Amino acid sequence: MAFDVDMIKKVYSRYDERIAAARQVVNKPLTLSEKILYAHLWDGNATEDYKRGVSYVDFAPDRVAMQDATAQMALLQFMQAGRPKVAVPSTVHCDHLIQAKEGADKDLARAKNESSEVFNFLSSVSNKYGIGFWKPGAGIIHQVVLENYAFPGGMMIGTDSHTVNAGGLGMVAIGVGGADACDVMAGLPWELKFPKLIGVKLTGKLSGWAAAKDVILKVAGILTVKGGTGAIVEYFGEGAESLSCTGKGTICNMGAEIGATTSTFGYDSSMERYLRATGRAEVADAANTIKQHLTADAEVYANPEQYFDQLIEINLSELEPSLNGPFTPDLYTPVSRMREEADKNGWPLKVEWGLIGSCTNSSYEDLSRAASIAKQAVDKGLITKAEFGINPGSEQVRFTADRDGLLKTFEDLNATIFTNACGPCIGMWDRVGADKQEKNTIVHSFNRNFAKRADGNPNTYAFVASPELVAAIAISGDLGFNPVTDTLTNSRGEQVKLDPPVGDELPTKGFAVDDPGYQAPAADGSAVVVDVAPTSDRLQLLEPFAAWEGTDLKGLKLLIKAKGKCTTDHISMAGPWLKYRGHLDNISNNMLIGAVNFFNEKTDNVQNQLTGEYGPVPATQRDYKAHGIGSIVVGDENYGEGSSREHAAMEPRHLGVRAVLVKSFARIHETNLKKQGMLGLTFANKDDYNKIQENDTIDILGLTTFAPGKPLTLVLHHADGTQEEILANHTYNAQQIEWFKAGGALNIIRKNQVK
């Protein structure tokens, strides 16, 4: 359905003037990304040429989206801002707190019962502050946003790293922490370092078993999990225009796995078709009036090497279906080499589960193409060797797929249809036997496959693939199965081959739905009461963090020196911990329990310097806090990779960690630390990571003259009485230093609102 059409038309009405002003200051042809960024400057028309990767810029996003797990903390913060209503269109989507176990009906009913307190809170706070509310079962946030809110040339932020999915409809859509969302909902500018630009030129056309998912799997293999950090990835070329709108969404969605700020495509006929099919003809008509601004200037795509900081070219006609994994989403293996790689690396070839869905691949087209493989299996007498699960992306997709017989096709293969929710993708999966921690393999069409991510089992080898390839491999039960060349033995002992997938970009009979699950907010929410029980273990009103003392930080204890990959999943796990996302003290009991301690190679096991004993990370930190002692966390490369969850910053802040010192940060997590008044620092010399010893006490000097571009000095006091000095860099600008001094950005917002 169409929402906020007047807002969209207002955005489009200023495009001519904004782009003209940008051309004047930039004085060169513009990429699509630059057009959208310059059209959304907080101060209006451009007056300077911002430097990519250098300039901090204030933007005015058009809208905000939040999912239920992150919305709790974002809205608890917003409640302190002192505003009667959100300043921009905003929505909440209940998709994370629904566990996959028995099937949609039972799972949804159980979730509504178990999380009724949280759902009621989100419903009431949305009603009070003018926020659109999507009920449990309505669908996964990013699919619902694509169907209802995304529009070409727009800018949005969302409290989930996969907000970038909306790039499939030509937006600049960026994942942020709840504090950033709070700023925008409170009517304040949103700050971002002007991104670098990576161009991906797509030629040719997909065919056979290759799918849009294989494009981003290939790109992830090229750029790795941090190769897109600080950059927007802009796709273009004849190959880009040949992709469906939801296929573009899949590619943009998983751009979060390369650390990209966001990804986007220029407006084209596939986007127009999708807008019209989802009841937004008025938006398509409005976009058509400024379509010249909704793609890059012709000179850019004709000579892309002159306008992008990095250029990648992929011929879709030559693209092979592939799988990425295990344990990292950038380990790329074409399906033709998988058996060889699995044998070489000891990956279990027997596949236990095939899972289709998540925000990445749960559109009608995805289900349609996967169902074409499932139907072949039924028709050719094949019996599925692996268990099979499906999560539709929205109630509209589920209803339409059910009407068209797609779900029955899956059920004919004994697939379980789970709720229109994230489910196994985020660890909300009650998988039978996972507690045994047996070595096993699963394949899924999700975006992430970190250890323990789906089922909590560190020995589950998860591989990411397209929905159609997941279906084929689940049917075969063999990770090494290549549907392009291999045959299977059916129930009659015959050798049969699966034909390439086919499917509909959009339902031929149109989308349909009885109840999409949307609740409009009250026109006047002033009388609505948001009730949070003081005895609740799910929700807790926030208290402001303390301001900086005004002195250098001395006597900090090393809490943990994390080794290797330390994602936000390692810092603040999801799965069963999701139920505490609205209760800061309770969820802090999962702080860093997944991080590997450099000194003993164990998780959730660090030495308490006060007692000399080893114990859980949160308990150790709580002991330091009880004694009035601050601490520091040390980490490796790309620290905070993955989800946008600000709990990974708020939990250390709440428990008394004062600084995080790493080799490098993932973008969102670094910003989240800054917003919460934490020190996020990087080693000036990465080799200094090796100087950190287990029993170190650390001083941070130079805070009384804390300034942009000026390194801080750290003094390492070793247990043997020796000491060393090292330098730590930072990326704080003047405004962010004020966040630190105030004890967090929200303290400044609250103070300004009171005035």
Side-chain angles (χ1 to χ4, degrees), residues 261-319:
T261 301
T262 193
S263 304
T264 196
F265 285 79
Y267 178 61
D268 61 16
S269 59
S270 72
M271 295 184 190
E272 181 176 357
R273 289 194 299 273
Y274 188 74
L275 286 169
R276 296 189 187 282
T278 51
R280 293 175 286 172
E282 197 172 359
V283 177
D285 291 340
N288 286 339
T289 65
I290 63 157
K291 64 192 311 180
Q292 74 276 16
H293 296 317
L294 302 179
T295 188
D297 292 335
E299 299 94 325
V300 171
Y301 293 161
N303 300 287
E305 64 282 347
Q306 297 179 23
Y307 301 99
F308 291 100
D309 299 293
Q310 184 177 352
L311 182 64
I312 296 169
E313 295 192 35
I314 297 174
N315 185 342
L316 301 186
S317 301
E318 299 173 354
L319 194 62

Side-chain angles (χ1 to χ4, degrees), residues 1 3 204 230 277 280-281 303 305 330 376 388-390 399 445 488 516 529 553 555 563 580 588 594:
M1 55 183 109
F3 291 90
R280 293 175 286 172
N303 300 287
E305 64 282 347
D330 60 348
Q376 285 187 60
F388 208 4
I390 312 292
F399 189 97
S445 69
L488 296 169
V529 176
L553 300 179
K563 180 180 179 180
Y580 295 127
S588 293

Side-chain angles (χ1 to χ4, degrees), residues 247-474:
K248 292 177 171 73
T250 292
I251 293 168
C252 292
N253 180 296
M254 206 173 151
E257 270 48 76
I258 57 172
T261 301
T262 193
S263 304
T264 196
F265 285 79
Y267 178 61
D268 61 16
S269 59
S270 72
M271 295 184 190
E272 181 176 357
R273 289 194 299 273
Y274 188 74
L275 286 169
R276 296 189 187 282
T278 51
R280 293 175 286 172
E282 197 172 359
V283 177
D285 291 340
N288 286 339
T289 65
I290 63 157
K291 64 192 311 180
Q292 74 276 16
H293 296 317
L294 302 179
T295 188
D297 292 335
E299 299 94 325
V300 171
Y301 293 161
N303 300 287
E305 64 282 347
Q306 297 179 23
Y307 301 99
F308 291 100
D309 299 293
Q310 184 177 352
L311 182 64
I312 296 169
E313 295 192 35
I314 297 174
N315 185 342
L316 301 186
S317 301
E318 299 173 354
L319 194 62
E320 185 178 352
S322 57
L323 300 98
N324 283 25
F327 305 125
T328 186
D330 60 348
L331 183 54
Y332 173 80
T333 305
V335 69
S336 62
R337 297 210 318 264
M338 179 51 77
R339 188 174 302 281
E340 173 191 347
E341 290 297 313
D343 287 339
K344 183 171 67 178
N345 292 287
W347 302 336
L349 283 167
K350 182 185 177 185
V351 175
E352 306 286 347
W353 269 89
L355 297 155
I356 292 173
S358 91
C359 59
T360 323
N361 279 111
S362 56
S363 68
Y364 183 88
E365 181 184 33
D366 290 325
L367 297 186
S368 174
R369 286 174 63 86
S372 77
I373 303 303
K375 187 174 188 308
Q376 285 187 60
V378 173
D379 293 345
K380 296 182 180 184
L382 292 168
I383 298 172
T384 307
K385 300 290 180 62
E387 294 189 75
F388 208 4
I390 312 292
N391 283 87
S394 69
E395 175 57 15
Q396 179 168 262
V397 165
R398 187 212 64 80
F399 189 97
T400 307
D402 190 32
R403 178 201 67 190
D404 295 347
L406 303 184
L407 299 189
K408 183 180 184 304
T409 297
F410 290 123
E411 289 170 336
D412 288 343
L413 278 183
N414 295 318
T416 301
I417 309 299
F418 293 124
T419 315
N420 315 318
C422 302
C425 180
I426 58 160
M428 287 297 281
W429 183 23
D430 189 359
R431 182 185 178 188
V432 176
D435 56 326
K436 298 177 183 176
Q437 299 200 353
E438 294 174 338
K439 188 175 180 179
N440 75 103
T441 287
I442 65 174
V443 292
H444 59 58
S445 69
F446 309 158
N447 38 50
R448 292 194 176 133
N449 56 350
F450 305 141
K452 303 183 184 181
R453 170 81 177 182
D455 61 4
N457 179 2
N459 299 312
T460 292
Y461 288 61
F463 294 84
V464 182
S466 68
E468 44 268 60
L469 189 57
V470 168
I473 290 176

